Amino acid sequence: MLDPLTLWAVLTVVATLLAVGLLFVWWVTPTEPALAHWAGALAFLILGILGGIFRQELPYFIAVALANSCFLIGYSQLWAGLRRFDRQPVSPLLTWAAPLAWILVVHIPPFDADPLARVVLISVAIPILILASLEQLWRGGLRSSKARIGLFVALAIAFVMNFLRIPLLNEQVQNDRIEIFNNPSMAWFGLTGMALTIFICFTVVLMARERAEQQYRQAADRDDLTGLLNRRGFMQQAVAVTAAGGPLAVMFLDLDHFKQINDRFGHAAGDSVLVLFAQVLRDNVRGGDVIGRVGGEEFVVLLPGADDAAARAAAERVQRGLKQAAISLHMGADNAPLECTASIGLAIANLPAAVSAPAMESRLRTLIERADGVLYRAKKDGRNRIEVVRVEGAAAG
């Protein structure tokens, strides 16, 4: 027959190794402080288990008050880690409220003399803390990560498992003594706890890895100076947005006389103009439009669903916005406001749905080339102009 104390000892060793592993992951990923909270959660759960194993040898304050408060601290730190992971503030008061309340409550009747009442209390307190973590996982975007979904499921099982202790009171308390760590019939609780502990540790590490990979992908798809999508990132998002086909416009933009700005005021000034123009684009197109910087002073905007009138209106907004924003840039010895304009080429089409992503990418590249062609005409005819070309679906690929 399985020795319960051996099982809980194994769980303690496994949890200790996992806590050390989480600390190591935090050491190599110092930008993710949530890992420190989760390692701390395991450490306090270990202290709680040790207090339970040696309950009979320890005084009441340590075995009951402090040991069980460690369990509550562990689940509070799990919640705090999720808050930090989602870049939200953590209130120390909320983090320590439950364990401090436990230490006080177990010294007053009926909890000071009735182990049954204490089991019911802890079996309600822990699920409440787990519920806070489940709520944070949900609010933080559950479907955005498979690892988050896995953690949600594991915590939901832990939520149910702790509530199940209430109908099993008689198996845990015998002769006014807590026997959960000694009763073979409660071995399932330790086995389930061990499985959940291992699984939860893997999921939180996977969450951190998913975020790191996402940051690397974003860095590969973004222009360092302006924060806009680079050519690669623009095409990826543009293909995804236009997969279903329909009306759209491609706006190709070029800053007029940009080389003169660099030659006259220096490259730092030119960079300031590029950053300013990127913000002008963000402020004057719709939230669902895709913006990219595809060359030195060349930018492209995809406007899904835009017809001729909407596309031209967007281009005019950008030109007005740039003219007004450039005034805030004072350059040169006389600190005069900068005059800056942009030429724009618009290619407008109504595309059929693509049979594949490469097919849609080919169509979009054709539209960009056509927009670039009329942009050249706008610059040749005097700059600070908008030229439009209508492209039939077949001509776009």
Side-chain angles (χ1 to χ4, degrees):
M1 181 178 291
L2 180 65
D3 178 17
L5 286 178
T6 301
L7 171 64
W8 286 102
V10 171
L11 175 57
T12 302
V13 173
V14 170
T16 301
L17 294 174
L18 291 172
V20 172
L22 282 178
L23 285 174
F24 176 76
V25 176
W26 176 49
W27 181 60
V28 298
T29 317
T31 56
E32 199 56 79
L35 292 165
H37 285 278
W38 293 327
L42 270 180
F44 280 106
L45 290 176
I46 292 167
L47 292 175
I49 293 172
L50 290 174
I53 292 175
F54 298 104
R55 179 183 298 270
Q56 307 306 325
E57 291 79 23
L58 296 172
Y60 178 86
F61 180 75
I62 296 177
V64 176
L66 290 185
N68 284 288
S69 70
C70 285
F71 284 115
L72 298 176
I73 295 172
Y75 285 103
S76 295
Q77 287 299 311
L78 176 62
W79 168 81
L82 290 171
R83 294 278 296 180
R84 293 292 297 275
F85 186 80
D86 291 337
R87 304 297 189 253
Q88 295 181 359
V90 177
S91 169
L93 178 63
L94 292 177
T95 305
W96 295 93
L100 292 176
W102 171 268
I103 293 173
L104 294 175
V105 168
V106 295
H107 287 89
I108 61 176
F111 303 104
D112 60 339
D114 188 353
L116 289 172
R118 292 197 297 271
V119 171
V120 171
L121 182 61
I122 198 74
S123 300
V124 172
I126 289 177
I128 289 175
L129 295 174
I130 295 175
L131 189 62
S133 293
L134 291 172
E135 190 263 350
Q136 185 61 44
L137 282 168
W138 183 273
R139 286 178 54 192
L142 185 62
R143 296 181 181 180
S144 64
S145 163
K146 293 180 180 179
R148 283 181 86 99
I149 295 174
L151 180 57
F152 187 91
V153 172
L155 290 178
I157 295 172
F159 177 88
V160 174
M161 184 179 74
N162 279 277
F163 262 133
L164 284 177
R165 292 186 62 188
I166 297 177
L168 299 174
L169 284 176
N170 292 332
E171 296 185 36
Q172 301 169 69
V173 181
Q174 298 175 0
N175 300 319
D176 290 332
R177 293 173 57 181
I178 301 292
E179 298 292 343
I180 187 172
F181 294 95
N182 305 89
N183 191 343
S185 65
M186 290 298 295
W188 66 270
F189 194 82
L191 287 170
T192 307
M194 184 185 303
L196 289 176
T197 300
I198 296 171
F199 185 78
I200 287 172
C201 285
F202 276 111
T203 57
V204 296
V205 171
L206 284 174
M207 284 169 58
R209 194 192 74 172
E210 283 179 349
R211 169 169 288 173
E213 290 178 349
Q214 183 181 25
Q215 291 172 341
Y216 291 141
R217 286 196 299 269
Q218 288 178 347
D221 294 342
R222 294 277 170 181
D223 170 53
D224 290 338
L225 178 64
T226 63
L228 297 178
L229 294 167
N230 57 25
R231 187 182 293 273
R232 174 176 176 271
F234 174 83
M235 290 305 301
Q236 286 181 343
Q237 285 203 21
V239 168
V241 167
T242 58
L248 59 87
V250 171
M251 184 191 306
F252 207 88
L253 312 97
D254 186 280
L255 289 167
D256 297 327
H257 304 296
F258 183 72
K259 184 177 184 301
Q260 295 180 14
I261 296 174
N262 277 333
D263 292 343
R264 183 179 176 187
F265 303 112
H267 288 282
D271 288 349
S272 298
V273 173
L274 293 172
V275 171
L276 177 73
F277 189 45
Q279 189 57 51
V280 168
L281 289 173
R282 293 188 188 97
D283 293 340
N284 289 280
V285 300
R286 302 165 303 178
D289 296 335
V290 184
I291 313 171
R293 181 188 177 199
V294 294
E297 67 271 23
E298 294 178 336
F299 297 77
V300 63
V301 182
L302 175 73
L303 301 97
D307 57 15
D308 299 53
R312 178 172 281 277
E316 291 173 350
R317 284 197 309 272
V318 169
Q319 285 189 326
R320 289 194 303 269
L322 175 60
K323 184 176 181 179
Q324 294 168 2
I327 297 174
S328 65
L329 292 178
H330 296 268
M331 297 182 179
D334 55 356
N335 201 31
L338 180 69
E339 293 185 9
C340 187
T341 61
S343 299
I344 300 176
L346 282 172
I348 301 170
N350 194 331
L351 298 182
V355 295
S356 66
M360 181 56 77
E361 182 174 346
S362 176
R363 294 171 183 172
L364 288 173
R365 290 189 184 279
T366 299
L367 287 176
I368 292 173
E369 290 173 2
R370 297 295 298 274
D372 188 21
V374 292
L375 166 66
Y376 177 78
R377 190 168 70 204
K379 296 184 77 69
K380 182 180 178 182
D381 291 346
R383 293 183 170 84
N384 194 27
R385 294 172 55 85
I386 300 170
E387 293 290 341
V388 182
V389 60
R390 181 78 195 185
V391 184
E392 298 301 325

